[in-house]
């Protein structure tokens, strides 16, 4: 069992389930679904994971998920994630899925959500990992398409804790989806949004003011705007930071240049997450280990990050208390071993 922050009890709050599709599973599903891949081998596919920005990643991400066709495919995808997550200290996960990326290629919404839901229940039963689903809208598609997706999700409202916004950020500000999010809030869903990954601080302001988000996904560019930092700190709006993702997508040129430490120093409720771990070089425990080393974070900072993950999660109060007690019981001995 690896020591330290890797295994510290934690919640993962920024995880695209389609981004957990490992190359081996891509090949296995392609074979089962009788599809031909444009790569001769797992290794050749993995070698293509060199990205210059968010869009260069998204192109591959959407192409690869084409192998997901059946309810069983979605269930196996999520089951494989939970096995990895458990090894890395995850006791609770809030999982994004991208229904439009599937319905647009003829896979029914029901197929996607039934497959994911069966894995959610199975992981609770087998591993005691709790989890929730967050439905993301693709911001580079129209607001009408997002609204139609919201309609499709209504019969499954109980299985979904909230809605989010992902895909290509630049040129697609949160304001584009103000009405969709207003409706989601009226339906009782929480809201989150990717903002300030590649986009400017103005997009984070819009996410807060127009989409009424409970958390900001990424949000790293918020540090460019002191008034925004003050707002995030004063209102304790969590940021779901994804360090290895940020380096792979060249938001930061090097992990040692990452501003996660500054965020903590500024009193922001920052959390550490894996985003698309199959593509970015590690799951959430790997992200903890990498930032601990690159940023020379103190054991207390790592515990703060784990605490923040529970504070920022959508679990009920009793569950949050239970997880915080688990964390208290697990440290500081373990965190000191990083
Ligand atoms: N950013 C935006 N959209 C995404 C990402 C991301 O990092 N991963 C999957 N969809
Ligand atoms: Zn993301």
């Amino acid at each position: 069992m690896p020591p330290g922050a890797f295994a510290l009890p934690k919640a993962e709050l920024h995880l695209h389930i389609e981004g957990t599709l490992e190359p081996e599973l891509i090949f296995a599903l392609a074979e089962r679904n009788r599809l031909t891949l444009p790569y001769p081998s797992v290794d050749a596919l993995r070698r293509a994971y060199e990205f210059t920005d968010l869009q260069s990643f998204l192109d591959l991400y959407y192409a690869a998920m084409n192998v997901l066709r059946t309810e069983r495919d979605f269930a196996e995808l999520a089951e494989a994630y939970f096995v990895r997550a458990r090894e890395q200290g995850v006791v609770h996960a809030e999982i994004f899925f991208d229904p439009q990326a599937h319905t647009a290629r003829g896979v029914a919404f029901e197929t996607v959500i039934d497959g994911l839901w069966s894995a959610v229940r199975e992981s609770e039963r087998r591993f005691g990992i709790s989890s929730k689903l967050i439905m993301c809208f693709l911001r580079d598609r129209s607001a009408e398409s997002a609204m139609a997706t919201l309609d499709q999700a209504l019969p499954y409202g109980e299985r979904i804790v909230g809605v989010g916004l992902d895909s290509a950020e630049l040129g697609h500000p949160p304001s584009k989806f103000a009405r969709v999010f207003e409706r989601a809030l009226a339906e009782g869903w929480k809201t989150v949004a990717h903002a300030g990954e590649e986009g400017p601080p103005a997009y984070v302001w819009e996410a807060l003011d127009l989409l009424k988000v409970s958390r900001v996904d990424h949000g790293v560019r918020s540090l460019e705007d002191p008034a925004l930092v003050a707002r995030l700190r004063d209102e304790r709006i969590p940021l779901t930071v994804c360090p290895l993702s940020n380096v792979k997508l060249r938001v930061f040129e090097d992990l040692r240049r990452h501003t996660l430490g500054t965020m903590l120093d500024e009193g922001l409720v920052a959390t550490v997450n894996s985003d698309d771990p199959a593509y970015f070089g590690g799951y959430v425990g790997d992200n903890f280990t990498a930032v601990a080393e690159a940023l020379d974070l103190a054991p207390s900072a790592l515990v703060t990050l784990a605490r923040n993950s529970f504070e920022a999660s959508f679990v009920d109060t009793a569950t949050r208390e239970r997880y915080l007690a688990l964390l208290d019981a697990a440290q500081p001995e373990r965190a000191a071993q990083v």
Side-chain angles (χ1 to χ4, degrees):
M1 185 70 163
F6 180 90
L8 215 51
K10 56 180 80 72
E12 169 137 76
L13 306 176
H14 185 155
L15 181 278
H16 302 264
I17 198 65
E18 296 90 347
T20 69
L21 185 53
E22 292 284 347
E24 291 79 5
L25 188 55
I26 293 175
F27 272 79
L29 294 180
E31 190 176 343
R32 189 159 87 197
N33 292 327
R34 300 180 204 291
L35 301 164
T36 308
L37 294 169
Y39 297 92
S41 67
V42 166
D43 284 345
L45 174 56
R46 212 186 283 278
R47 276 197 295 277
Y49 293 2
E50 289 293 335
F51 311 115
T52 52
D53 57 11
L54 174 57
Q55 188 61 57
S56 66
F57 155 69
L58 291 171
D59 292 343
L60 188 57
Y61 168 80
Y62 292 124
M65 68 176 77
N66 185 39
V67 299
L68 295 164
R69 298 290 171 99
T70 65
E71 184 180 323
R72 180 178 165 202
D73 297 344
F74 285 92
E76 288 181 8
L77 172 69
E79 282 161 13
Y81 164 69
F82 284 118
V83 169
R84 300 271 200 147
R86 176 171 176 254
E87 292 165 0
Q88 309 221 354
V90 174
V91 294
H92 176 75
E94 297 183 3
I95 297 174
F96 296 136
F97 69 110
D98 285 334
Q100 288 158 293
H102 310 302
T103 54
R105 51 188 184 82
V107 177
F109 188 96
E110 184 185 18
T111 301
V112 179
I113 197 144
D114 282 349
L116 297 179
W117 189 247
S118 90
V120 160
R121 285 189 315 192
E122 177 74 359
S123 78
E124 177 98 52
R125 198 182 60 74
R126 268 181 74 195
F127 303 140
I129 299 178
S130 54
S131 57
K132 296 179 183 292
L133 297 176
I134 298 176
M135 174 174 76
C136 281
F137 303 115
L138 303 185
R139 68 201 304 157
D140 45 359
R141 292 178 184 248
S142 68
E144 290 71 28
S145 173
M147 197 66 100
T149 303
L150 188 152
D151 281 324
Q152 283 182 303
L154 287 177
Y156 305 96
E158 293 293 308
R159 297 183 183 181
I160 296 170
V161 72
V163 301
L165 198 58
D166 66 3
S167 203
E169 185 179 8
L170 287 169
H172 302 284
S175 50
K176 180 176 166 186
F177 297 93
R179 279 195 51 243
V180 180
F181 274 61
E182 193 183 328
R183 179 127 179 263
L185 287 162
E187 293 292 341
W189 282 318
K190 310 264 191 210
T191 62
V192 298
H194 285 53
E197 179 186 19
E198 287 188 341
Y203 285 18
V204 180
W205 284 106
E206 283 191 9
L208 295 171
D209 290 335
L210 303 178
L211 307 188
K212 315 276 188 232
V213 295
S214 302
R215 305 193 288 252
V216 175
D217 296 314
H218 292 297
V220 289
R221 288 195 59 195
S222 302
L223 289 184
E224 295 169 24
D225 180 344
L228 178 56
V229 171
R231 165 106 183 253
L232 294 167
R233 176 177 49 234
D234 294 348
E235 296 186 12
R236 292 194 69 73
I237 307 280
L239 303 178
T240 62
V241 179
C242 306
L244 290 175
S245 163
N246 290 156
V247 174
K248 269 294 208 183
L249 301 188
R250 312 228 187 141
V251 174
F252 294 95
E253 69 181 48
D254 191 284
L255 201 53
R256 282 166 298 186
R257 301 274 188 100
H258 201 286
T259 51
L260 175 68
T262 310
M263 292 176 170
L264 292 176
D265 292 343
E266 290 277 359
L268 297 178
V269 186
T271 65
V272 165
N273 307 271
S274 68
D275 209 5
D276 301 283
Y279 294 94
F280 298 153
Y283 286 73
V284 65
D286 304 313
N287 272 267
F288 266 77
T289 303
V291 289
E293 194 177 306
L295 302 177
D296 198 20
L297 295 180
S300 62
L302 297 164
V303 173
T304 297
L305 288 165
R307 284 194 80 81
N308 287 351
S309 75
F310 296 122
E311 181 182 335
S313 76
F314 293 142
V315 296
D316 60 39
T317 308
T319 306
R320 179 173 294 111
E321 293 302 319
R322 184 162 60 79
Y323 285 144
L324 287 171
L326 198 64
L327 176 60
D328 285 342
Q331 54 85 27
E333 299 79 21
R334 273 174 155 189
Q337 292 169 27
V338 168

